Amino acid sequence: MPEGPSIILLKEEVQQFKGKEVVAVSGNSKIEQSRLLNQKVISFKTWGKHFLICFKEFTLKVHLLLFGKYLINKKKEQAARLSIVFDNGELNLYSCSVKFLDGNINACYDWSADVMSDAWDPKKAIIKLKKTPAKFICDALLEQDIFAGVGNIIKNEVLYRVGVHPESKVGKIPVAKIKEIVKEARNYSFEFLEWKRNFVLRKHWLAHGQKMCLRCNLPFVRKYTGVKNRRSFFCINCQFLYK
DNA sequence: TATAATGTTTGAAC
DNA sequence: AGTTCAAACATTAT
């Protein structure tokens, strides 16, 4: 479900509730649900994979993790983690993490680290990468402090597009190539957004889940890589190993 | 039916 | 005290 672009779509879909007051709350979440009652939604925001419902005094942070789902004006049979009812509809959240953040939301997040944000700052990402030369690039791309919103699919697609082996060491990758990776992390995320919006994301995957490399027709390597030990799909012919 | 998968936090073990 | 790592959580298609 998640990855940054999917959360942007969620934000778009709930705009009907902006400015609306919460009239009922339920669900199996252990948070103090009553806090939400009678509160008016000031705005919806996202930071990477975080979906943020901002109220006057606090923000509700929703993270869909790996299996999270949401339904708008619809319900599943299973109990919701949190169901937020407005007078014009409801938002139902399932198998996700929900938490309150107190105070000004801007104090909680560095918006410039979010690849989907207008405030995204590629230069900062490059500086952060330079500080961790020993890290594998496959791990670095998943670091939310550097590339908030990038998940495993985006990681695989970006590395294939720029021709970099996932087990390359950050410090061994030429600066020009690092810049390309940073640029593509944002660029691909926006393509992901439009494809996902139109339900055609999957058919545009060039690496993730693929068996053969379309460029050279060699079989992909499928391997759990990095300290994070996440699935990587790559072509040893088209993706250079900087080590 | 067992397994694996778009993710993160936690707390024990070093 | 800082790092590392396995476990926990949760869902569903194959």
Side-chain angles (χ1 to χ4, degrees), chain A residues 20 25 27 36 39 47 101 112 114 130 141 150 160 162 181 205 209 214 218 225:
Chain A
K20 297 288 178 184
V25 200
L36 293 163
Q39 294 291 319
W47 181 84
L101 299 175
S112 75
D114 176 4
K130 281 183 180 160
L141 270 167
V150 170
Y160 180 66
V162 301
I181 292 169
W205 287 346
L214 287 174
L218 284 174
T225 61

Side-chain angles (χ1 to χ4, degrees), chain A residues 160 165-167 219-223 225 232-236 239:
Chain A
Y160 180 66
H165 190 297
E167 293 174 312
F220 264 116
V221 174
R222 176 188 177 143
K223 183 183 176 188
T225 61
S232 285
F233 299 85
F234 56 97
C235 173
I236 51 165
Q239 292 174 256

Side-chain angles (χ1 to χ4, degrees), chain A residues 82-200:
Chain A
L82 199 63
S83 178
I84 306 174
V85 183
F86 303 91
D87 63 16
N88 64 338
E90 63 187 63
L91 171 62
N92 295 306
L93 301 160
Y94 302 89
S95 53
C96 55
S97 152
V98 292
K99 269 184 183 167
F100 284 119
L101 299 175
D102 289 302
N104 185 349
I105 192 66
N106 292 312
C108 300
Y109 290 101
D110 174 5
W111 308 103
S112 75
D114 176 4
V115 297
M116 301 304 292
S117 172
D118 290 342
W120 164 247
D121 186 344
K123 291 196 189 79
K124 284 192 187 169
I126 291 166
I127 289 167
K128 289 173 196 165
L129 288 171
K130 281 183 180 160
K131 286 182 183 163
T132 56
K135 206 170 248 190
F136 288 119
I137 190 63
C138 58
D139 285 327
L141 270 167
L142 293 172
E143 284 301 340
Q144 300 300 295
D145 290 342
I146 308 178
F147 298 102
V150 170
N152 206 38
I153 296 172
I154 296 175
K155 174 200 84 179
N156 281 322
E157 294 297 314
V158 167
L159 289 175
Y160 180 66
R161 285 178 164 212
V162 301
V164 174
H165 190 297
E167 293 174 312
S168 294
K169 286 283 172 68
V170 168
K172 301 294 180 184
I173 302 173
V175 177
K177 193 51 99 172
I178 288 285
K179 286 183 182 169
E180 212 181 311
I181 292 169
V182 170
K183 189 172 183 184
E184 194 57 25
R186 176 169 167 93
N187 180 54
Y188 178 77
S189 294
F190 278 90
E191 290 192 22
F192 181 121
L193 171 63
E194 294 311 319
W195 286 329
K196 173 110 187 170
R197 188 198 302 286
N198 296 303
F199 310 102
V200 293

